[in-house]
Every structure is written in C-alpha cells, then in structure tokens.
Amino acid sequence: SAVISQKPSRDICQRGTSLTIQCQVDSQVTMMFWYRQQPGQSLTLIATANQGSEATYESGFVIDKFPISRPNLTFSTLTVSNMSPEDSSIYLCSGGANGETQYFGPGTRLLVL
Amino acid sequence: GENVEQHPSTLSVQEGDSAVIKCTYSDSASNYFPWYKQELGKRPQLIIDIRSNVGEKKDQRIAVTLNKTAKHFSLHITETQPEDSAVYFCAVGSNDYKLSFGAGTTVTVRA
C-alpha cells in the first residue's frame, strides 16, 4: 500500500486569496487524484493529476480555479485560487501503485472567511 | 461520472449482529468495486475491494458480494463490534481508474 501525506493539514484563509496543497506519496504511483469532501458528504472527484502533462478535470471543475501540478510520480499540488466561502471543504489526494487501488491522504481542511 | 446509489444512509445494529450495505451502479463497463471506512476526522481507509471477475471476497469479518448482471454489490460485516462504527463508502471504478463514490452509510454499533 502507499502512504500518503498532505500539507497543510488545515488552514483558514481570506476570500480572494489562494492556497496550495501538497501531496506526497512514499513510493511511485501510477495515478494520483484530487477529491473534495464537504462535511458530512461523500467524495467528489476534482481531477486526475497526470505526470508531466495537464490535469484532467471533472465536470464542474476548471483549471483556472484548481490548477494542479504533478512533476513526478510521488508528488502533486492542488491550488485553490481566488477563494470564496463556498470553497470551504476538505481536500484529499489519493494515489495507487497499480492505478486501480487507491489510498487517501489525511486531507486538508480549508475554511475561507 | 458513474451514478452510484448506496443504501441505507444510516444503519444501527446491536453489537454482535450483522450489517449489510448495498450499492447499485449504472455503467456496465465498471470493473472495480472498493469499500472505504471513514472514521470521524480521519481519511477514508480501504477495507476491501472486488473486481468484476470475482463474485465474492472475504476478509475475516468483512465480505463483499458482486452481482454484475444486476449491477449491484454489497458489504457484509459480521459479528459487529463498537469499533466498526464509522461511515462506509462504496465506490465504482473502470479502466480509467477514476472512482465514483456512493453517498455513504453511517453505521452505529450499539454496545
């Protein structure tokens, strides 16, 4: 299994600012994904982080709002840009060595005031 | 994404009894069906998964069954214990490895 860490674990931000979340995996993984989870809700896929190329976004999510980088097979970042209170949520990354089996990071709790 | 329905949304069981959660999906191309357990404030934790070429898989007190024809799969927890109390999510994946999640089931095991 892959061990995944995220930084920061939580943050409180002012509206209009941006926050970059880092995701680090302890081994090389084929696939990495970013999810959002509202309190008490399920997980919604934001995008697939592709190594060496642009991320693939799900319906309702756009690159200008959620730019993603994946410079190598163990690291990815998600930026939440021009934040509003509606962006308050938990952001989780996931990854898996064989692509299919995914393990999650601990999440980043974001509160936008 | 894939449409995944999960039932029930809440489940309360007496310690020692069994718990069953069911999920249905719509895309016949789906071929991977994991279950995650999420305790309050923690990350989702993979507890068991099954692939489309297998009908049933068991790991100690946890089992998953898959009916591809009917497009549904179920999680079975036997001899429930208080530490089984959590939110359980089913998910569905296909060849692009993206997962679509069910809405979740809050399981409470009464001592």
Side-chain angles (χ1 to χ4, degrees):
Chain A
S1 65
V3 177
I4 301 179
S5 59
Q6 285 183 235
K7 289 194 297 186
S9 58
R10 60 179 65 233
D11 207 341
I12 301 173
C13 301
Q14 297 298 318
R15 67 177 68 202
T17 63
S18 297
L19 175 72
T20 295
I21 303 167
Q22 298 180 9
C23 178
Q24 180 73 55
V25 190
D26 69 338
S27 58
Q28 293 186 345
V29 292
T30 307
M31 308 295 291
M32 291 184 75
F33 301 91
W34 286 96
Y35 291 83
R36 185 170 70 184
Q37 185 177 30
Q38 308 278 17
Q41 303 287 318
S42 186
L43 289 85
T44 300
L45 180 64
I46 297 172
T48 305
N50 300 308
Q51 194 264 326
S53 65
E54 194 171 280
T56 306
Y57 290 84
E58 298 301 303
S59 176
F61 299 96
V62 295
I63 187 171
D64 290 346
K65 177 67 175 177
F66 297 102
I68 288 170
S69 78
R70 190 173 174 199
N72 56 52
L73 293 177
T74 64
F75 186 78
S76 179
T77 67
L78 168 75
T79 299
V80 186
S81 302
N82 188 24
M83 289 184 286
S84 66
E86 292 72 37
D87 294 321
S88 298
S89 190
I90 300 170
Y91 293 85
L92 300 114
C93 66
S94 73
N98 68 359
E100 190 173 60
T101 305
Q102 292 184 35
Y103 300 94
F104 282 87
T108 296
R109 292 176 178 272
L110 172 61
L111 176 62
V112 184
L113 303 177
Chain B
E2 167 75 90
N3 182 36
V4 183
E5 293 191 2
Q6 182 172 346
H7 298 282
S9 58
T10 61
L11 181 60
S12 180
V13 297
Q14 190 70 37
E15 182 177 359
D17 288 350
S18 296
V20 181
I21 306 169
K22 183 176 177 178
C23 286
T24 60
Y25 60 99
S26 56
D27 188 352
S28 57
S30 299
N31 56 16
Y32 178 61
F33 309 92
W35 286 89
Y36 289 86
K37 174 184 180 182
Q38 188 175 33
E39 298 177 32
L40 190 62
K42 301 288 184 62
R43 75 185 78 193
Q45 179 185 8
L46 179 69
I47 55 173
I48 195 167
D49 58 6
I50 193 168
R51 289 165 178 81
S52 59
N53 57 344
V54 176
E56 184 174 355
K57 183 177 179 180
K58 188 174 182 181
D59 183 4
Q60 299 182 348
R61 297 186 296 108
I62 294 174
V64 57
T65 57
L66 171 66
N67 184 328
K68 280 219 73 179
T69 303
K71 297 194 186 69
H72 67 72
F73 58 110
S74 300
L75 178 71
H76 305 255
I77 307 173
T78 59
E79 301 172 25
T80 53
Q81 301 169 3
E83 52 264 38
D84 294 328
S85 296
V87 179
Y88 291 80
F89 292 99
C90 65
V92 176
S94 58
N95 289 338
D96 62 5
Y97 303 128
K98 296 190 290 187
L99 294 179
S100 296
F101 283 81
T105 298
T106 301
V107 174
T108 303
V109 180
R110 307 186 306 273

